[in-house]
Amino acid sequence: MNNLLETPIEYLKGVGPARGELLRKELGIHKYGDLINLYPNRYIDRTRYYKIHELLNSNSEVQVVGKVINLKSVGEKRTRLVATFTDGTGEMELVWFQGQKWIRENLKINVPYVVFGKASAFNGVFNMAHPEMELLTEHEQSLRSAMQPIYPSTEKLIQRGITNKVVNKIMQQLFIETQALFSEPLPAHLVNELQLIPKNAALFNIHFPKSQDLLARAQFRLKFEELFFIQLQLITKNIIRKHKIKGHAFDKVGTYFNDFYNNHLPFDLTGAQKRVLKEIRHDMGQPAQMNRLLQGDVGSGKTIVAMMSMLLALDNGFQACLMAPTEILANQHFLGLSELATPLGINIKILTGSTKTSERKIIHEQLESGELHIIIGTHALLEDKVQFKNLGLAIIDEQHRFGVEQRSKLWHKNEIPPHVLVMTATPIPRTLAMSLYGDLDISVIDELPPGRKPIQTVHRYDSNRLKVWAFLREEIAKGRQIYIVYPLIQESEKMDYKDLMDGYESISRDFPLPQYSVSIVHGKMKPSEKDSEMERFAKGKTNIMVATTVIEVGVNVPNASVMIIESAERFGLSQLHQLRGRVGRGAEQSYCILMTGQKLSNDSKIRMETMCRTNDGFEISEVDLKLRGPGDIMGTQQSGVLNLQIADLVKDRDILQLARQYAIKILKDDAALAKPEHTALRNAFLEISKKKNIWNYIS
Ligand code: ADP
Ligand code: MG
C-alpha cells in the first residue's frame, strides 16, 4: 500500500486540523485513502445550460450562465439579499437569507458566473435561493465535470462550511497529489476479459465523471471489485475449511439408511429431495467438515432429508442431533421423527427446558455412553452438561433464530467437529445467500411434494368479518380446521395479549360450544398446557386454533386448511409467508385470509398484494428484500457485516454473480494467488483481508 494514502487527512491542502477533525467525526475519514473511497451518493447532470427565458416552473435544478447587474437588501427586520441576474434573454433574482455579508464582500458585479440551483417563479419572476456560484473562468478550468457528484454529508458538516463544493475541492486536491499512485489490483487477464476500465480511471470518473458512459463504467468496475474481493475471501475460507477442518468421512451407506429407504419411506422423494440428499451424502463422505445450508420453502419436505442424513451418521457409528428454536417445534420433530426411527430400532429422545431432571440424567448418560443415537432438542442441547460420545452430525432447524455463536458451540463438543446442516425455510435469494453465507455450501429444495394445491390467499378488511366468519362455518362443516393468528410484538406485548384474549372471547361467542370448540395457544401458557392444546387441535378435537406467532414455525396439522391472519399489516412478508405455510399440507384446497384495517401504508399494500399474488417463497423474499434491505432480512446479527462502499446486494446481483464466478475461476487455477500475474491481486487481497475480515462472524 502506498504510504501517501495512509497520510492523515488534515495534511491535505485545504483541510487542516479543524476540518480534519470534522471529517473524522462526521464521515469516518481519517486518511487520504478514506477520502478516495467517499463515493458520491448521486450526480446532478450539469451538461445542460439553460437560458432564463427557457426556465419552467418545474422546481428542478438548473444552471444558467449570466451576470449580476445589481445587488440590494430587501425587507425590514429580517432582510434578505437580492441580486438581479441576467443572461441577455431575461432576468432572474438570486436570493440569500444567510451569509449576506460574505456575499456582499465577495460577489463580483458584471462578471460572468455559472449559477446552479432550484429556480422557481414568484409573481412571474424566477428566483433562485442560495445558488451555487462559480466564476465562468473557473468553471471552465475546473476538474469538475458535467456530472456533478453529490457527496454524503451531515448537517454539522454543512453548518461548519464543509459544503458539497468544498468536498469537491479537496477531492480535486487529493487527486492532484495522489493520482499516480492508484495501481491496478486486478490481473490484466480479468480486466481485459471483462473490459473493465483501469482502477485509476474508475476512481477518477467516480468523482469527476467525464460522461454518463464513463460514470457507468466506473461504477461497474468499482462495484465489481468490491464484490470480487468479498467473494475471494469467502471462497478462500471455504477452501481452507475443506482442507484444514477435519471431519468424519461417512463412507458407508448401511443398514439404517437402506432399511429405511427400502421398507419405511412413507412416500417417494421428490427430485429436489433426492438431489439435495446426494449433495449432503457427498459432503459427509469427505474427511472434511460439512457446513451446508439447506434452503427449502415451507412444506418442501426438509424433515425427511434431515432424517435420512442422520441415518447416514448412524450407519457410520456416530450420533446425530437436531436442534429446533422452540419447544413446540422440537416436540413436533420428535413426534414425527421417532415415529420413523423407532421401527428401525433407533434410540431417539428429546431434551428441552422442561425435561424432568430424572429423564435429563438418563439422557446425559446415554449420550455419553453412545447408547442414545439421536437427540432432538432446543437450546438445552448447548448446555455444557450435554456431552456426546461421538456426535457426527448436527442439524439446526430454522437457522435464523440461532446466532452464529450458538452454532459453533455445538461444534466444540468433540475434538473433530460434527458435520453441520443448517435448515431454513426463510428463503434468501441465492445471490444474497452467497454473500452472507459464502463459506457455507448451499442446497435448495425448489420443488414441493406432488399433489399440493396452491393455497388461495385473499385480503379482507375488518369490516367484512361477517362474511369471513360465514366462510369459516362452511369449512368447518366440511370437516376442516382453522388457525386464527394474532400478532405479538414485544414492544406492545400488553396490548397484543389483550387483543388476543378479546379475539378469543369473541370467536368463542361466535363459534359456541357444543357445536364448535376453540383452542388457544400463546407464550404465557405453561409448556404442558401449550402442548395439550396443540395436541387437541392436531387430533381434530377442536375446530379453531387461536394463537400468537408461536405456531409460525414448523407446526404440521395437515387437516388445517384455513389460516386467518389478524392485523396482517403488522407482519413482515417473510413472517406472513411462514404463517401461511401452516396450511396447504393436506390434500384439500387451503386458504389464507389476511385481515387488515382500512388504512394501509404503501408498504403494507405491497405486502398484501404480494401475498395474494404468489406462493413462491423466493419471489416473496425478493420483494421483502426490496422493501426492507438485506440488513434487516438477516436480522441485526448479520446486518452491516459486509459494510459495502458502493455495491448494493439487491440492485447489483448480476455483478455479484459475475464477481463470484470469476473469483471461483481464479482460485481454482491459482488458490494461493501465487502466480506472477496475481501479485498485485494478492497484495490487495491481503491488505483488504487485514482491514475487513468478514470471516469471523461465520465461524
Ligand atoms: P418443511 O420443509 O417445511 O420442514 P416438512 O418436512 O414438514 O416440510 O414436510 C411437509 C409435509 O410434506 C409433511 O407432512 C411431510 O410428510 C410431507 N412430505 C415431505 N416430502 C414429501 C414427499 N416427497 N412426498 C409427499 N409428501 C411429502
Ligand atoms: Mg420444518
Side-chain angles (χ1 to χ4, degrees):
M1 192 51 139
N2 289 300
N3 285 334
L4 190 56
L5 294 179
E6 299 288 322
T7 313
I9 196 69
E10 62 251 40
Y11 294 116
L12 188 65
K13 198 174 147 204
V15 180
R19 282 180 169 176
E21 179 72 13
L22 272 172
L23 288 173
R24 264 196 301 277
K25 278 207 174 131
E26 297 292 303
L27 296 175
I29 294 172
H30 296 260
K31 300 172 293 194
Y32 284 20
D34 298 332
L35 184 61
I36 285 178
N37 290 326
L38 179 73
Y39 297 139
N41 285 333
R42 62 192 175 96
Y43 299 80
I44 293 171
D45 186 355
R46 292 184 68 165
T47 44
R48 183 139 185 227
Y49 296 86
Y50 284 80
K51 295 288 178 200
I52 292 176
H53 77 267
E54 293 175 323
L55 294 179
L56 295 170
N57 199 9
S58 64
N59 205 28
S60 60
E61 290 175 305
V62 292
Q63 61 183 348
V64 184
V65 183
K67 298 170 181 173
V68 172
I69 51 170
N70 176 26
L71 188 65
K72 60 175 192 275
S73 282
V74 180
E76 299 273 302
K77 268 190 191 156
R78 300 195 61 212
T79 58
R80 60 187 190 276
L81 193 61
V82 177
T84 309
F85 188 77
T86 176
D87 69 349
T89 73
E91 286 186 358
M92 64 189 273
E93 288 182 343
L94 310 178
V95 185
W96 292 268
F97 301 94
Q98 278 138 28
Q100 299 183 25
K101 183 164 170 279
W102 193 89
I103 298 287
R104 259 189 192 290
E105 286 166 8
N106 290 282
L107 190 74
K108 297 192 168 76
I109 307 289
N110 266 321
V111 175
Y113 273 100
V114 180
V115 301
F116 176 82
K118 265 185 195 162
S120 42
F122 185 71
N123 284 340
V125 180
F126 276 93
N127 67 78
M128 201 182 267
H130 288 266
E132 267 184 44
M133 295 187 74
E134 193 171 27
L135 286 169
L136 183 61
T137 48
E138 278 180 18
H139 182 81
E140 281 166 346
Q141 282 165 18
S142 101
L143 248 182
R144 171 174 22 148
S145 63
M147 303 293 303
Q148 189 187 309
I150 305 296
Y151 288 96
S153 186
T154 67
E155 217 164 290
K156 200 158 197 181
L157 282 177
I158 295 187
Q159 267 173 18
R160 307 279 283 274
I162 307 189
T163 57
N164 197 58
K165 198 169 155 188
V166 169
V167 175
N168 209 286
K169 268 241 166 75
I170 60 175
M171 198 66 86
Q172 287 189 37
Q173 184 60 37
L174 181 70
F175 268 74
I176 292 167
E177 292 189 25
T178 62
Q179 196 176 6
L181 302 175
F182 308 142
S183 55
E184 178 59 69
L186 299 180
H189 62 86
L190 184 61
V191 172
N192 291 337
E193 196 172 327
L194 290 173
Q195 307 219 336
L196 300 173
I197 60 173
K199 174 82 174 204
N200 54 4
L203 283 174
F204 185 87
N205 279 287
I206 205 78
H207 292 293
F208 314 104
K210 288 203 171 131
S211 66
Q212 287 275 8
D213 178 54
L214 279 167
L215 173 60
R217 295 187 60 192
Q219 286 172 327
F220 181 87
R221 144 91 213 207
L222 294 173
K223 286 174 177 181
F224 177 86
E225 185 179 323
E226 181 166 49
L227 296 169
F228 177 74
F229 277 111
I230 290 175
Q231 291 303 323
L232 275 188
Q233 279 201 30
L234 291 169
I235 295 160
T236 307
K237 160 99 173 164
N238 190 313
I239 293 173
I240 291 173
R241 174 165 51 74
K242 284 188 178 152
H243 281 92
K244 296 236 176 92
I245 303 188
K246 275 193 249 161
H248 309 287
F250 297 169
D251 39 26
K252 265 199 301 223
V253 177
T255 328
Y256 285 126
F257 191 95
N258 285 328
D259 184 19
F260 182 72
Y261 192 80
N262 296 324
N263 308 320
H264 299 279
L265 200 59
F267 36 66
D268 289 336
L269 297 179
T270 63
Q273 284 170 324
K274 282 186 194 157
R275 189 189 65 236
V276 161
L277 254 175
K278 216 166 153 185
E279 288 164 358
I280 293 170
R281 257 172 70 175
H282 172 267
D283 271 16
M284 296 198 306
Q286 311 300 313
Q289 185 199 27
M290 171 175 81
N291 223 334
R292 196 168 265 284
L293 180 70
L294 174 57
Q295 288 197 37
D297 211 343
V298 275
S300 63
K302 293 184 291 296
T303 316
I304 199 83
V305 172
M307 170 74 185
M308 295 174 75
S309 308
M310 292 199 280
L311 294 183
L312 283 172
L314 268 51
D315 274 342
N316 287 272
F318 288 92
Q319 295 166 298
C321 75
L322 189 158
M323 187 162 79
T326 64
E327 204 156 320
I328 290 186
L329 190 51
N331 267 313
Q332 181 116 22
H333 271 311
F334 177 67
L335 290 176
L337 292 177
S338 52
E339 207 172 294
L340 297 173
T342 315
L344 305 174
I346 291 170
N347 184 5
I348 176 171
K349 288 198 158 63
I350 177 167
L351 180 68
T352 69
S354 51
T355 305
K356 290 202 186 73
T357 319
S358 53
E359 172 71 6
R360 202 174 275 261
K361 209 169 150 244
I362 297 173
I363 289 174
H364 289 165
E365 282 167 14
Q366 292 195 348
L367 277 177
E368 273 187 71
S369 72
E371 226 173 305
L372 191 51
H373 300 113
I374 297 178
I375 182 83
I376 312 290
T378 54
H379 290 81
L381 293 179
L382 298 173
E383 284 168 17
D384 291 335
K385 275 191 209 140
V386 180
Q387 293 295 334
F388 294 83
K389 177 170 181 234
N390 55 6
L391 181 61
L393 171 64
I395 300 183
I396 302 174
D397 198 13
E398 304 300 342
Q399 182 270 338
H400 58 294
R401 304 236 169 161
F402 289 104
V404 171
E405 259 166 67
Q406 292 171 323
R407 250 205 279 163
S408 62
K409 238 183 167 174
L410 266 177
W411 298 13
H412 300 306
K413 290 202 177 270
N414 285 86
E415 198 181 326
I416 294 185
H419 297 297
V420 176
L421 182 68
V422 173
M423 304 197 292
T424 175
T426 308
I428 307 159
R430 209 174 181 41
T431 42
L432 181 58
M434 273 179 204
S435 268
L436 291 167
Y437 303 111
D439 89 315
L440 299 190
D441 296 301
I442 299 173
S443 289
V444 182
I445 305 185
D446 50 6
E447 181 186 352
L448 292 181
R452 295 271 173 83
K453 294 199 182 86
I455 301 163
Q456 284 181 25
T457 303
V458 292
H459 170 208
R460 294 284 180 265
Y461 293 108
D462 291 335
S463 46
N464 283 327
R465 190 171 295 278
L466 279 180
K467 276 194 189 153
V468 174
W469 269 200
F471 173 71
L472 296 190
R473 290 197 183 90
E474 283 171 29
E475 287 298 301
I476 293 173
K478 288 189 214 157
R480 308 287 128 69
Q481 289 169 283
I482 287 145
Y483 291 109
I484 304 182
V485 175
Y486 284 80
L488 179 62
I489 319 276
Q490 232 157 27
E491 295 87 68
S492 53
E493 198 181 277
K494 248 193 175 154
M495 280 304 295
D496 286 350
Y497 270 116
K498 188 173 177 311
D499 288 351
L500 173 78
M501 296 320 292
D502 289 352
Y504 174 66
E505 272 172 32
S506 89
I507 291 162
S508 300
R509 261 198 311 277
D510 293 341
F511 295 86
L513 287 163
Q515 193 183 353
Y516 301 101
S517 78
V518 183
S519 283
I520 181 164
V521 167
H522 59 75
K524 287 196 170 164
M525 291 162 67
K526 283 199 199 108
S528 57
E529 287 173 347
K530 266 194 266 182
D531 288 349
S532 79
E533 277 300 287
M534 274 309 302
E535 204 169 306
R536 273 176 8 110
F537 185 67
K539 290 202 169 131
K541 291 188 177 147
T542 60
N543 311 105
I544 299 177
M545 162 64 75
V546 177
T548 55
T549 41
V550 287
I551 61 151
E552 177 189 343
V553 246
V555 172
N556 192 15
V557 180
N559 191 48
S561 64
V562 184
M563 166 63 66
I564 311 265
I565 304 176
E566 295 287 348
S567 304
E569 69 269 32
R570 293 181 56 199
F571 290 91
L573 259 181
S574 73
Q575 219 179 0
L576 289 172
H577 181 62
Q578 290 288 319
L579 285 168
R580 176 169 62 183
R582 297 308 110 214
V583 298
R585 304 187 149 236
E588 310 304 334
Q589 175 61 54
S590 290
Y591 305 90
C592 174
I593 304 177
L594 308 167
M595 304 294 298
T596 73
Q598 207 75 27
K599 272 201 187 139
L600 291 178
S601 70
N602 265 343
D603 278 12
S604 303
K605 275 185 204 149
I606 294 174
R607 289 200 295 268
M608 299 309 128
E609 281 161 18
T610 307
M611 286 294 292
C612 295
R613 186 185 70 237
T614 180
N615 278 304
D616 180 342
F618 281 91
E619 193 178 334
I620 288 168
S621 77
E622 304 261 337
V623 178
D624 204 18
L625 204 52
K626 280 186 195 131
L627 291 179
R628 301 201 294 163
D632 245 6
I633 292 216
M634 303 318 302
T636 41
Q637 268 167 351
Q638 271 116 351
S639 70
V641 166
L642 299 176
N643 204 2
L644 298 174
Q645 300 266 17
I646 185 165
D648 178 321
L649 289 178
V650 182
K651 292 188 193 126
D652 301 320
R653 277 204 255 147
D654 294 347
I655 307 179
L656 173 59
Q657 189 88 41
L658 198 69
R660 181 168 175 86
Q661 187 187 321
Y662 277 89
I664 290 172
K665 197 168 145 192
I666 286 180
L667 288 172
K668 230 182 202 162
D669 169 57
D670 182 16
L673 301 177
K675 290 193 173 173
E677 69 255 39
H678 292 151
T679 304
L681 179 64
R682 191 183 62 232
N683 290 340
F685 179 49
L686 292 175
E687 194 66 36
I688 290 172
S689 310
K690 241 195 286 170
K691 278 194 198 141
K692 184 164 150 181
N693 189 341
I694 51 178
W695 303 3
N696 292 336
Y697 81 103
I698 291 174
S699 54

